[in-house]
Amino acid sequence: MTAGTSPQKNKMTSDQKPPLPPESKHISISGDVRDSNVIIGDNNTVNQTIIQKFFNIFKSGAETLEHRNRRILLGHVENAWIKGVLDASLHGAALLDLGITQDPEAVTQYPWAIQKESTKETLPAGISMLEIFDAIGMGRSLLILGAPGSGKTTMLLELARGLIARAREDVTQPIPMVFNLASWTEKLTLADWLAQELNNLYSVPRKTAPDWVKGNKLLLLLDGLDEVRQESRAKCVEAVNEFRKQNGLTSLAVCSRSQDYADLNAKLSFEGAIEIQPLTQGQITEFFNRFGNEMAGIKQALEKDSGLREMAETPLFSSIMIMAYRDKQDVEILVSGDEKARRKQLFETYIERMVEHPRSKNVAFKKQDKLHWLSWLAGRVVEYNAVPYLLEDMQVAWIDEKKQKQNRLFVGSFTGLLFALIFGIERYEISTVDSLSFNWIKVRKGLILGLILGLFFGLVFGLYAGLLVNPVIGLFVGLLINLFFGLFGGLFAGLGVEYVNQTAYPEQRITLSGRNFLFVSAIVWLFAALFFGLVFGLSFGLVTGLRAGPMVGLIIGLMVGIDYGGNFLIQHYTLRLILAGNNILPWRLVPFLNHCVDLIFLRRVGGGYIFIHRLLMEHFAEMYVDTPTPKGN
């Protein structure tokens, strides 16, 4: 939902030049025209100007690189949140102007606060979020409150849209970045968490991410304070306040449900706070009138049912009513009971309507299975704050304890089989291998350890070969083995793993892990096969070397590659097999999730999925019953 936006004035920035008169654009007086600018003077002056422009190319190159980094980050935010979430929002009521009041008592204000009175004041109709934010002044901090489904996130993203446009026009403006506080934990300061999220969500390098946070280069838009675990919310408020003390020039806005925020003992030390008001009856009537006779039933029901009218004051519920009650008679809509019962019936009608009339032809999944799978998934997302949901992030802990004991033969890796059999699968943490890095500092330690191990195996195998063949060949083989283990240990001690959480398509990190596993295994197999082929060939003959070399190389290649993606593949697909075997989730998981997108239950955000609204996710989570339906896929 968005307040109306004000038209932006065309302003000339400080680095813009007034346009030249039309008659001067193609004039050359003893000179030349460069980029529609007139160069006047003799040949020497012209040459000097051309040389100066040549050097300016290199100067502008550095600036272009900085501009490019800004453009990439702005693009990430716009694609993920504006196009991926705001523009695809379920809230058809977003076209309405929501009522907004200032709520000065919600925050611990600074002396320069924009309003010090304790009474609430309704802001002018049609005022935009950008205007509200600008009114606070430099070092802006704004708290956005509202009831569930009132449009808090939408208002925050409308603010992001305006700030992105401004940042593109003016390179001195900070870059607006959207984060969800649900993943914050007490183990991290807000600054450290932001740096981690910059790397995870927006691919900012880990080494430079802290500089972005502490350098006042960002404008922080933090959604979901109420989604932080209840026992940690007060600590989260304290962490935000501490960040404000350390980084007072960084502007930020925070969203929270009104009641959840009111229940906290701690308050944010912000300059301003606003609360989104319910829709008026005039706005509700105007909204439903847009759809003509299709909504005649709901309009009649609203006239008879005061509880339903009150529910329609929430933009989310008004939007869902459009889809759930289109072409239905009022007698099919009226319900008795309290607000919770009405909300439950509305969601159930919406779900039933979407399942019965899917927007895609993909009907390979049975209705009861779809609801069972989606409700289980919603429960796990709520419990583990897994927003957005990525297939690669699923863990064994997501399976209930009873099913974990039933599946104790889950194998994390070849080397972890005994561990799994003894201790069970719940101790495993499944991690992807997105990309490989190399650290030369660690090479030296690995080289020393490799040489020590190589010396031991080289002596043993060298003595054995010397006794069977001759001492010279034995000595040579021993030195080869020592050298191999030294180089091998050094190189792989420096080989590290990096994780990239921003993905463009589902299962991208699974694909990356598979590629890294194959790459490392193939490289190790090639060198190990050549080396051991030579060793066995010298010791036991050419034929033995040709047979044993590739086989030993394959074993070593798989053993090394298992730590660089292979382990994850075994763990992940074994977990998927367990989930499918117990009918908790389908094996064809991506087609199912895309089908849920078509049903308007989920939205795709990059390579992950989010529910269209937290209230719907919570409704699905409450639906889950741990009695698997007959397997239908």
Side-chain angles (χ1 to χ4, degrees):
M1 269 41 70
T2 175
T5 55
S6 302
Q8 295 186 3
K9 298 180 180 179
N10 294 324
K11 296 183 180 179
M12 184 180 298
T13 59
S14 58
D15 58 345
Q16 289 178 319
K17 296 180 181 179
L20 294 169
E23 64 271 16
S24 68
K25 285 206 171 184
H26 299 290
I27 297 177
S28 177
I29 305 176
S30 188
D32 200 357
V33 178
R34 295 288 186 271
D35 301 327
S36 299
N37 293 323
V38 181
I39 302 174
I40 303 176
D42 56 21
N43 289 335
N44 290 334
T45 304
V46 172
N47 292 336
Q48 292 174 1
T49 306
I50 294 174
I51 293 172
Q52 183 63 43
K53 282 183 171 285
F54 176 77
F55 284 106
N56 284 342
I57 292 175
F58 295 96
K59 180 180 179 181
S60 63
E63 295 173 350
T64 302
L65 180 60
E66 181 180 350
H67 295 169
R68 176 178 175 274
N69 292 337
R70 285 177 57 89
R71 186 166 59 253
I72 290 173
L73 281 179
L74 289 170
H76 283 333
V77 179
E78 183 177 49
N79 290 331
W81 294 100
I82 306 304
K83 296 180 181 179
V85 177
L86 182 61
D87 291 346
S89 174
L90 177 67
H91 299 183
L95 299 176
L96 298 173
D97 289 337
L98 296 177
I100 301 174
T101 62
Q102 294 192 56
D103 190 3
E105 294 182 347
V107 293
T108 303
Q109 297 186 8
Y110 288 102
W112 55 86
I114 60 174
Q115 180 181 348
K116 298 181 180 179
E117 293 81 3
S118 59
T119 57
K120 295 186 177 182
E121 177 183 341
T122 301
L123 299 176
I127 188 170
S128 71
M129 283 299 299
L130 193 58
E131 290 172 317
I132 294 172
F133 200 59
D134 286 344
I136 300 176
M138 297 299 292
R140 304 169 181 86
S141 58
L142 177 67
L143 172 63
I144 303 173
L145 298 171
S150 61
K152 302 178 297 298
T153 299
T154 305
M155 298 292 268
L156 184 75
L157 296 183
E158 281 292 348
L159 174 59
R161 191 203 298 271
L163 292 169
I164 289 172
R166 176 181 291 176
R168 281 180 170 149
E169 294 175 359
D170 185 355
V171 296
T172 65
Q173 294 292 325
I175 302 173
M177 306 293 288
V178 182
F179 301 93
N180 193 299
L181 285 167
S183 62
W184 179 83
T185 64
E186 296 182 34
K187 298 178 181 179
L188 298 174
T189 65
L190 189 71
D192 292 338
W193 174 78
L194 288 168
Q196 177 178 289
E197 291 297 285
L198 276 174
N199 174 254
N200 291 342
L201 300 178
Y202 299 107
S203 299
V204 176
R206 293 183 181 182
K207 292 182 179 179
T208 58
D211 296 333
W212 283 82
V213 175
K214 299 176 182 179
N216 300 315
K217 298 178 180 180
L218 307 178
L219 193 156
L220 307 175
L221 304 174
L222 310 179
D223 193 18
L225 175 60
D226 52 281
E227 295 182 42
V228 176
R229 292 186 180 276
Q230 186 172 2
E231 62 272 16
S232 301
R233 286 176 197 161
K235 292 289 186 180
C236 185
V237 169
E238 294 175 6
V240 174
N241 289 338
E242 182 62 27
F243 179 84
R244 290 277 294 152
K245 291 180 182 179
Q246 302 295 329
N247 304 271
L249 297 179
T250 299
S251 298
L252 71 163
V254 174
C255 281
S256 177
R257 290 180 177 180
S258 300
Q259 189 58 53
D260 291 319
Y261 182 77
D263 292 340
L264 296 175
N265 295 325
K267 301 298 178 185
L268 289 167
S269 297
F270 279 14
E271 284 87 5
I274 60 174
E275 186 167 16
I276 302 172
Q277 300 302 300
L279 296 173
T280 65
Q281 291 305 311
Q283 288 175 312
I284 296 171
T285 301
E286 189 272 331
F287 176 57
F288 285 115
N289 283 341
R290 297 175 185 176
F291 301 91
N293 294 331
E294 292 178 321
M295 303 307 298
I298 184 62
K299 287 190 289 185
Q300 292 175 8
L302 290 172
E303 293 177 0
K304 301 175 184 178
D305 193 329
S306 60
L308 200 61
R309 283 200 305 273
E310 184 177 347
M311 182 181 292
E313 293 175 357
T314 301
L316 171 68
F317 294 143
S318 293
S319 302
I320 290 182
M321 286 177 185
I322 294 293
M323 298 184 178
Y325 298 142
R326 189 185 295 257
D327 294 326
K328 282 186 175 289
Q329 300 298 317
D330 60 327
V331 293
E332 302 177 77
I333 299 173
L334 287 172
V335 294
S336 60
D338 56 13
E339 178 186 356
K340 185 175 181 180
R342 286 186 173 88
R343 179 186 298 183
K344 180 179 180 181
Q345 195 233 26
L346 175 60
F347 279 132
E348 288 178 350
T349 305
Y350 169 75
I351 293 169
E352 190 75 18
R353 197 75 180 266
M354 294 297 101
V355 171
E356 289 179 352
H357 304 284
R359 299 194 301 171
S360 71
K361 297 181 180 180
N362 185 355
V363 291
F365 307 104
K366 292 184 178 180
K367 173 185 172 181
Q368 58 181 357
D369 284 337
K370 285 188 282 192
L371 299 182
H372 179 76
W373 297 334
L374 202 55
S375 61
W376 180 87
L377 183 61
R380 304 290 78 72
V381 172
V382 170
E383 182 178 357
Y384 293 97
N385 290 327
V387 180
Y389 162 68
L390 291 97
L391 281 69
E392 302 92 324
D393 289 341
M394 288 194 300
Q395 299 295 325
V396 177
W398 288 27
I399 307 176
D400 63 84
E401 185 175 348
K402 180 180 178 181
K403 287 189 174 62
Q404 285 187 20
K405 291 178 180 179
Q406 292 174 350
N407 296 283
R408 294 181 70 88
L409 291 181
F410 171 82
V411 183
S413 66
F414 294 136
T415 57
L417 176 58
L418 181 60
F419 187 88
L421 288 170
I422 297 174
F423 297 103
I425 62 174
E426 64 270 17
R427 294 179 180 268
Y428 280 98
E429 181 176 349
I430 305 176
S431 299
T432 59
V433 179
D434 301 341
S435 62
L436 302 175
S437 61
F438 202 78
N439 188 334
W440 288 100
I441 298 177
K442 296 180 180 179
V443 170
R444 184 173 60 180
K445 295 181 180 179
L447 184 63
I448 295 174
L449 180 61
L451 288 173
I452 293 174
L453 291 174
L455 180 61
F456 172 76
F457 287 108
L459 287 173
V460 173
F461 198 87
L463 289 173
Y464 182 69
L467 293 174
L468 292 180
V469 187
N470 63 66
V472 176
I473 293 179
L475 178 62
F476 182 68
V477 168
L479 290 174
L480 279 179
I481 292 178
N482 189 21
L483 179 63
F484 174 80
F485 272 92
L487 293 176
F488 188 82
L491 290 174
F492 279 92
L495 189 62
V497 174
E498 293 185 353
Y499 304 96
V500 179
N501 283 355
Q502 183 175 347
T503 55
Y505 56 87
E507 296 186 311
Q508 180 177 347
R509 294 165 64 202
I510 298 176
T511 302
L512 293 175
S513 297
R515 288 177 180 175
N516 289 326
F517 165 65
L518 292 176
F519 173 76
V520 172
S521 297
I523 293 298
V524 174
W525 172 80
L526 178 62
F527 284 99
L530 292 174
F531 172 79
F532 283 101
L534 177 61
V535 170
F536 281 101
L538 290 173
S539 302
F540 307 108
L542 180 60
V543 175
T544 302
L546 292 175
R547 291 177 178 175
M551 184 61 66
V552 174
L554 178 62
I555 295 173
I556 295 177
L558 291 176
M559 291 178 62
V560 175
I562 211 74
D563 283 335
Y564 294 94
N567 197 22
F568 164 76
L569 295 176
I570 295 173
Q571 291 176 326
H572 176 78
Y573 282 108
T574 306
L575 175 59
R576 293 268 291 272
L577 186 63
I578 292 172
L579 293 172
N582 288 278
N583 202 33
I584 298 174
L585 283 179
W587 177 258
R588 297 167 57 225
L589 192 47
V590 173
F592 165 68
L593 295 172
N594 289 337
H595 181 56
C596 291
V597 172
D598 293 332
L599 296 176
I600 323 181
F601 297 153
L602 301 176
R603 278 197 302 264
R604 258 189 63 179
V605 179
Y609 298 84
I610 61 175
F611 283 83
I612 58 170
H613 197 276
R614 184 182 169 193
L615 286 175
L616 182 63
M617 178 176 68
E618 292 171 348
H619 176 79
F620 269 114
E622 291 175 358
M623 288 173 53
Y624 179 70
V625 178
D626 189 17
T627 53
T629 59
K631 193 172 181 181
N633 183 40

PDB file of all heavy atoms in Angstrom, residues 313-328:
ATOM      1  N   GLU A 313     -11.006  -3.327   6.455  1.00  0.00           N
ATOM      2  CA  GLU A 313     -10.217  -2.118   6.683  1.00  0.00           C
ATOM      3  C   GLU A 313      -8.724  -2.383   6.544  1.00  0.00           C
ATOM      4  O   GLU A 313      -7.932  -1.458   6.412  1.00  0.00           O
ATOM      5  CB  GLU A 313     -10.512  -1.563   8.082  1.00  0.00           C
ATOM      6  CG  GLU A 313     -11.938  -1.049   8.240  1.00  0.00           C
ATOM      7  CD  GLU A 313     -12.236  -0.634   9.663  1.00  0.00           C
ATOM      8  OE1 GLU A 313     -11.331  -0.814  10.531  1.00  0.00           O
ATOM      9  OE2 GLU A 313     -13.338  -0.125   9.930  1.00  0.00           O
ATOM     10  N   THR A 314      -8.341  -3.663   6.585  1.00  0.00           N
ATOM     11  CA  THR A 314      -6.943  -4.042   6.383  1.00  0.00           C
ATOM     12  C   THR A 314      -6.695  -4.281   4.898  1.00  0.00           C
ATOM     13  O   THR A 314      -7.370  -5.118   4.296  1.00  0.00           O
ATOM     14  CB  THR A 314      -6.618  -5.319   7.169  1.00  0.00           C
ATOM     15  OG1 THR A 314      -6.878  -5.093   8.557  1.00  0.00           O
ATOM     16  CG2 THR A 314      -5.158  -5.709   6.986  1.00  0.00           C
ATOM     17  N   PRO A 315      -5.777  -3.570   4.265  1.00  0.00           N
ATOM     18  CA  PRO A 315      -5.563  -3.700   2.818  1.00  0.00           C
ATOM     19  C   PRO A 315      -5.291  -5.127   2.358  1.00  0.00           C
ATOM     20  O   PRO A 315      -5.757  -5.523   1.301  1.00  0.00           O
ATOM     21  CB  PRO A 315      -4.353  -2.787   2.574  1.00  0.00           C
ATOM     22  CG  PRO A 315      -4.439  -1.761   3.650  1.00  0.00           C
ATOM     23  CD  PRO A 315      -4.968  -2.490   4.851  1.00  0.00           C
ATOM     24  N   LEU A 316      -4.543  -5.910   3.149  1.00  0.00           N
ATOM     25  CA  LEU A 316      -4.277  -7.289   2.749  1.00  0.00           C
ATOM     26  C   LEU A 316      -5.572  -8.078   2.603  1.00  0.00           C
ATOM     27  O   LEU A 316      -5.787  -8.778   1.616  1.00  0.00           O
ATOM     28  CB  LEU A 316      -3.363  -7.970   3.769  1.00  0.00           C
ATOM     29  CG  LEU A 316      -3.181  -9.485   3.572  1.00  0.00           C
ATOM     30  CD1 LEU A 316      -2.408  -9.771   2.296  1.00  0.00           C
ATOM     31  CD2 LEU A 316      -2.506 -10.105   4.776  1.00  0.00           C
ATOM     32  N   PHE A 317      -6.447  -7.961   3.595  1.00  0.00           N
ATOM     33  CA  PHE A 317      -7.685  -8.726   3.567  1.00  0.00           C
ATOM     34  C   PHE A 317      -8.610  -8.237   2.456  1.00  0.00           C
ATOM     35  O   PHE A 317      -9.319  -9.041   1.831  1.00  0.00           O
ATOM     36  CB  PHE A 317      -8.380  -8.649   4.921  1.00  0.00           C
ATOM     37  CG  PHE A 317      -7.607  -9.307   6.017  1.00  0.00           C
ATOM     38  CD1 PHE A 317      -7.581  -8.783   7.299  1.00  0.00           C
ATOM     39  CD2 PHE A 317      -6.875 -10.463   5.784  1.00  0.00           C
ATOM     40  CE1 PHE A 317      -6.860  -9.384   8.312  1.00  0.00           C
ATOM     41  CE2 PHE A 317      -6.151 -11.075   6.783  1.00  0.00           C
ATOM     42  CZ  PHE A 317      -6.141 -10.533   8.053  1.00  0.00           C
ATOM     43  N   SER A 318      -8.632  -6.943   2.198  1.00  0.00           N
ATOM     44  CA  SER A 318      -9.431  -6.431   1.071  1.00  0.00           C
ATOM     45  C   SER A 318      -8.954  -7.035  -0.237  1.00  0.00           C
ATOM     46  O   SER A 318      -9.760  -7.411  -1.095  1.00  0.00           O
ATOM     47  CB  SER A 318      -9.340  -4.906   1.021  1.00  0.00           C
ATOM     48  OG  SER A 318      -9.974  -4.316   2.140  1.00  0.00           O
ATOM     49  N   SER A 319      -7.652  -7.144  -0.398  1.00  0.00           N
ATOM     50  CA  SER A 319      -7.096  -7.703  -1.625  1.00  0.00           C
ATOM     51  C   SER A 319      -7.427  -9.183  -1.763  1.00  0.00           C
ATOM     52  O   SER A 319      -7.752  -9.666  -2.847  1.00  0.00           O
ATOM     53  CB  SER A 319      -5.577  -7.497  -1.649  1.00  0.00           C
ATOM     54  OG  SER A 319      -5.255  -6.127  -1.550  1.00  0.00           O
ATOM     55  N   ILE A 320      -7.337  -9.918  -0.641  1.00  0.00           N
ATOM     56  CA  ILE A 320      -7.651 -11.346  -0.686  1.00  0.00           C
ATOM     57  C   ILE A 320      -9.142 -11.555  -0.946  1.00  0.00           C
ATOM     58  O   ILE A 320      -9.537 -12.508  -1.627  1.00  0.00           O
ATOM     59  CB  ILE A 320      -7.200 -12.032   0.617  1.00  0.00           C
ATOM     60  CG1 ILE A 320      -5.663 -12.073   0.674  1.00  0.00           C
ATOM     61  CG2 ILE A 320      -7.753 -13.443   0.714  1.00  0.00           C
ATOM     62  CD1 ILE A 320      -5.111 -12.760   1.887  1.00  0.00           C
ATOM     63  N   MET A 321      -9.977 -10.675  -0.402  1.00  0.00           N
ATOM     64  CA  MET A 321     -11.417 -10.783  -0.665  1.00  0.00           C
ATOM     65  C   MET A 321     -11.727 -10.695  -2.152  1.00  0.00           C
ATOM     66  O   MET A 321     -12.650 -11.353  -2.637  1.00  0.00           O
ATOM     67  CB  MET A 321     -12.160  -9.677   0.093  1.00  0.00           C
ATOM     68  CG  MET A 321     -12.258  -9.892   1.583  1.00  0.00           C
ATOM     69  SD  MET A 321     -13.070  -8.496   2.412  1.00  0.00           S
ATOM     70  CE  MET A 321     -12.895  -8.991   4.135  1.00  0.00           C
ATOM     71  N   ILE A 322     -10.969  -9.890  -2.872  1.00  0.00           N
ATOM     72  CA  ILE A 322     -11.183  -9.765  -4.314  1.00  0.00           C
ATOM     73  C   ILE A 322     -11.035 -11.123  -4.994  1.00  0.00           C
ATOM     74  O   ILE A 322     -11.826 -11.498  -5.860  1.00  0.00           O
ATOM     75  CB  ILE A 322     -10.190  -8.756  -4.919  1.00  0.00           C
ATOM     76  CG1 ILE A 322     -10.480  -7.344  -4.391  1.00  0.00           C
ATOM     77  CG2 ILE A 322     -10.240  -8.779  -6.439  1.00  0.00           C
ATOM     78  CD1 ILE A 322     -11.797  -6.786  -4.847  1.00  0.00           C
ATOM     79  N   MET A 323     -10.019 -11.879  -4.601  1.00  0.00           N
ATOM     80  CA  MET A 323      -9.761 -13.175  -5.226  1.00  0.00           C
ATOM     81  C   MET A 323     -10.647 -14.271  -4.658  1.00  0.00           C
ATOM     82  O   MET A 323     -11.056 -15.184  -5.367  1.00  0.00           O
ATOM     83  CB  MET A 323      -8.291 -13.546  -5.058  1.00  0.00           C
ATOM     84  CG  MET A 323      -7.347 -12.581  -5.733  1.00  0.00           C
ATOM     85  SD  MET A 323      -5.626 -13.128  -5.608  1.00  0.00           S
ATOM     86  CE  MET A 323      -4.805 -11.816  -6.535  1.00  0.00           C
ATOM     87  N   ALA A 324     -10.940 -14.201  -3.353  1.00  0.00           N
ATOM     88  CA  ALA A 324     -11.687 -15.277  -2.707  1.00  0.00           C
ATOM     89  C   ALA A 324     -13.184 -15.195  -2.975  1.00  0.00           C
ATOM     90  O   ALA A 324     -13.855 -16.231  -3.127  1.00  0.00           O
ATOM     91  CB  ALA A 324     -11.424 -15.264  -1.205  1.00  0.00           C
ATOM     92  N   TYR A 325     -13.725 -13.970  -3.033  1.00  0.00           N
ATOM     93  CA  TYR A 325     -15.177 -13.804  -3.089  1.00  0.00           C
ATOM     94  C   TYR A 325     -15.679 -13.251  -4.418  1.00  0.00           C
ATOM     95  O   TYR A 325     -16.829 -12.834  -4.514  1.00  0.00           O
ATOM     96  CB  TYR A 325     -15.633 -12.898  -1.950  1.00  0.00           C
ATOM     97  CG  TYR A 325     -15.354 -13.449  -0.577  1.00  0.00           C
ATOM     98  CD1 TYR A 325     -14.940 -12.622   0.469  1.00  0.00           C
ATOM     99  CD2 TYR A 325     -15.495 -14.812  -0.314  1.00  0.00           C
ATOM    100  CE1 TYR A 325     -14.682 -13.132   1.732  1.00  0.00           C
ATOM    101  CE2 TYR A 325     -15.229 -15.330   0.947  1.00  0.00           C
ATOM    102  CZ  TYR A 325     -14.829 -14.487   1.967  1.00  0.00           C
ATOM    103  OH  TYR A 325     -14.577 -14.996   3.215  1.00  0.00           O
ATOM    104  N   ARG A 326     -14.854 -13.238  -5.425  1.00  0.00           N
ATOM    105  CA  ARG A 326     -15.304 -12.767  -6.734  1.00  0.00           C
ATOM    106  C   ARG A 326     -16.427 -13.672  -7.243  1.00  0.00           C
ATOM    107  O   ARG A 326     -16.297 -14.902  -7.239  1.00  0.00           O
ATOM    108  CB  ARG A 326     -14.134 -12.774  -7.721  1.00  0.00           C
ATOM    109  CG  ARG A 326     -14.439 -12.102  -9.062  1.00  0.00           C
ATOM    110  CD  ARG A 326     -13.253 -12.287 -10.002  1.00  0.00           C
ATOM    111  NE  ARG A 326     -12.066 -11.591  -9.521  1.00  0.00           N
ATOM    112  CZ  ARG A 326     -11.611 -10.428 -10.005  1.00  0.00           C
ATOM    113  NH1 ARG A 326     -12.248  -9.854 -11.001  1.00  0.00           N
ATOM    114  NH2 ARG A 326     -10.540  -9.860  -9.508  1.00  0.00           N
ATOM    115  N   ASP A 327     -17.526 -13.050  -7.682  1.00  0.00           N
ATOM    116  CA  ASP A 327     -18.689 -13.753  -8.246  1.00  0.00           C
ATOM    117  C   ASP A 327     -19.401 -14.646  -7.227  1.00  0.00           C
ATOM    118  O   ASP A 327     -20.182 -15.517  -7.609  1.00  0.00           O
ATOM    119  CB  ASP A 327     -18.291 -14.603  -9.469  1.00  0.00           C
ATOM    120  CG  ASP A 327     -17.841 -13.746 -10.633  1.00  0.00           C
ATOM    121  OD1 ASP A 327     -18.386 -12.640 -10.799  1.00  0.00           O
ATOM    122  OD2 ASP A 327     -16.944 -14.183 -11.374  1.00  0.00           O
ATOM    123  N   LYS A 328     -19.145 -14.453  -5.937  1.00  0.00           N
ATOM    124  CA  LYS A 328     -19.868 -15.230  -4.924  1.00  0.00           C
ATOM    125  C   LYS A 328     -21.031 -14.417  -4.369  1.00  0.00           C
ATOM    126  O   LYS A 328     -20.963 -13.194  -4.272  1.00  0.00           O
ATOM    127  CB  LYS A 328     -18.927 -15.636  -3.780  1.00  0.00           C
ATOM    128  CG  LYS A 328     -18.017 -16.811  -4.101  1.00  0.00           C
ATOM    129  CD  LYS A 328     -17.222 -17.239  -2.886  1.00  0.00           C
ATOM    130  CE  LYS A 328     -16.405 -18.492  -3.163  1.00  0.00           C
ATOM    131  NZ  LYS A 328     -17.265 -19.696  -3.282  1.00  0.00           N
TER     132      LYS A 328
END
